[in-house]
Amino acid sequence: MRRIAHLSDVHMLDRETRRSTARYRFATKAVSLGRPIDPRGRAKKLSRALDAAKASGADHVVISGDLTEVGDETEFDHFAEVLCDAKLPRESVTLVPGNHDAYTSPGAWKKALAGPLAAWAPSSAEEPGKLVERGGVAFLPIDTSCFQSIARSGGEFTRDAALAVERRLVDPALRHKALVLVLHHPPFAKHRNPAWAWIDALRGGREVIDLLMSHPRVQLLHGHMHRVVDRIVGIGKNAAARARIFGAPATVEDALESMPRVRLYDVRDGALESAGLYAV
Ligand SMILES: [Fe+2]
């Protein structure tokens, strides 16, 4: 495998939002933070981003969470429909859930994987430590979502998840592969304010950083920040140090008048190199 396309934060809505329950309309409005409630527009943005990923020559597509606005069944159905229409090989798509995908019920992600997303379940986040091998790359998709109030947006990387991931990272069978963790939340806080960390941070983020520090061949793809992120792990005194934490912009915030924004990475010598945003 030579190229990975990365998109994130699609925030898909029910196809018929206006006909949905008042509770659904209230919840989606509350968490949309001013984004227009336009099911067709959001579907179009996802469809364009997937077309761009295909046109870029990517061998694999990662969508790093917040696939839906509140994790409603109808939203997962809508997301699956657009993904299916893109006609990407099923094994070439890796999905992880984000905090928005768990606002409706604690079991929404599992239910979606057993239902509308079943075709992509083998290559998407299930139990921690799950490995998705694609040529020279081994993806470790991780579910950091947790059922919580819409007033919070944090995630959780448990000690058990850290142990399960660590077992994979030391597996000699994978020593020639690029190892790529995929999770929705970045392992660092968005803001320094501790109150904000309580609302929004990844609990266990320190464990993720420790894994990256002790395994230099590991890199991480995330969403949640709704913007491009490139971070070097550790102290940045070494000018040759390369970014190993990569965040993708939010597909839901793409403008329909301009090009979709899809991050691309080329795989070289067991490492990901940012190849910029998709461009014709
Ligand atoms: Fe998001």
Side-chain angles (χ1 to χ4, degrees):
M1 179 158 73
R2 285 177 307 192
R3 179 165 270 194
I4 297 166
H6 178 197
L7 54 144
S8 198
D9 297 80
V10 178
H11 292 254
M12 194 66 105
L13 292 162
D14 176 8
R15 203 179 292 101
E16 301 288 346
T17 303
R18 270 175 299 177
R19 287 192 217 158
S20 309
T21 62
R23 185 193 159 108
Y24 176 80
R25 289 199 302 274
F26 171 79
T28 46
K29 199 156 187 209
V31 300
S32 274
L33 306 170
R35 290 186 285 266
I37 305 293
D38 58 342
R40 280 192 200 167
R42 295 193 192 185
K44 176 123 205 229
K45 288 172 188 176
L46 174 60
S47 169
R48 290 180 343 144
L50 294 169
D51 285 348
K54 236 199 292 191
S56 76
D59 311 285
H60 200 85
V61 177
V62 169
I63 312 182
S64 54
D66 285 0
L67 312 180
T68 65
E69 193 64 286
V70 293
D72 190 86
E73 280 178 39
T74 58
E75 296 176 338
F76 281 116
D77 284 342
H78 198 190
F79 178 90
E81 190 182 291
V82 176
L83 185 52
C84 188
D85 287 348
K87 296 190 168 48
L88 292 157
R90 292 175 166 197
E91 69 283 3
S92 74
V93 178
T94 289
L95 309 172
V96 302
N99 48 296
H100 280 251
D101 299 309
Y103 280 144
T104 298
S105 74
W109 177 244
K110 271 193 179 155
K111 211 167 163 190
L113 286 182
L117 299 181
W120 301 280
S123 49
S124 296
E126 291 180 292
E127 73 289 351
K130 175 176 172 178
L131 198 65
V132 177
E133 289 188 76
R134 299 274 297 147
V137 180
F139 293 97
L140 288 114
I142 296 155
D143 177 359
T144 55
S145 69
C146 42
F147 182 52
Q148 60 196 336
S149 143
I150 58 170
R152 291 182 71 178
S153 48
E156 187 163 31
F157 184 77
T158 63
R159 182 79 194 121
D160 283 351
L163 291 170
V165 168
E166 172 97 51
R167 275 196 291 277
R168 292 296 197 182
L169 303 186
V170 297
D171 183 348
L174 302 176
R175 67 178 179 275
H176 298 302
K177 300 210 178 219
L179 301 168
V180 182
L181 304 182
V182 183
L183 46 154
H184 176 67
H185 293 83
F188 46 81
K190 228 188 234 182
H191 302 283
R192 289 210 174 136
N193 185 328
W196 187 257
W198 183 81
I199 292 169
D200 190 66
L202 176 67
R203 292 182 294 285
R206 186 66 240 177
E207 307 252 24
V208 178
I209 296 281
D210 287 347
L211 286 169
L212 288 161
M213 298 280 269
S214 47
H215 299 279
R217 285 187 310 115
V218 178
Q219 33 251 301
L220 186 153
L221 305 184
H222 70 82
H224 194 59
M225 304 288 279
H226 287 209
R227 61 178 171 80
V228 169
V229 173
D230 288 273
R231 282 235 183 168
I232 292 167
V233 180
I235 301 164
K237 283 182 185 163
N238 178 0
R242 61 184 176 86
R244 289 167 57 209
I245 298 179
F246 302 99
T251 297
V252 68
E253 289 170 6
D254 278 351
L256 284 169
E257 311 73 55
S258 46
M259 296 294 297
R261 296 166 306 158
V262 172
R263 284 205 79 174
L264 301 173
Y265 312 98
D266 288 333
V267 183
R268 282 202 188 97
D269 303 325
L272 302 196
E273 280 177 17
S274 176
L277 289 171
Y278 172 76
V280 186

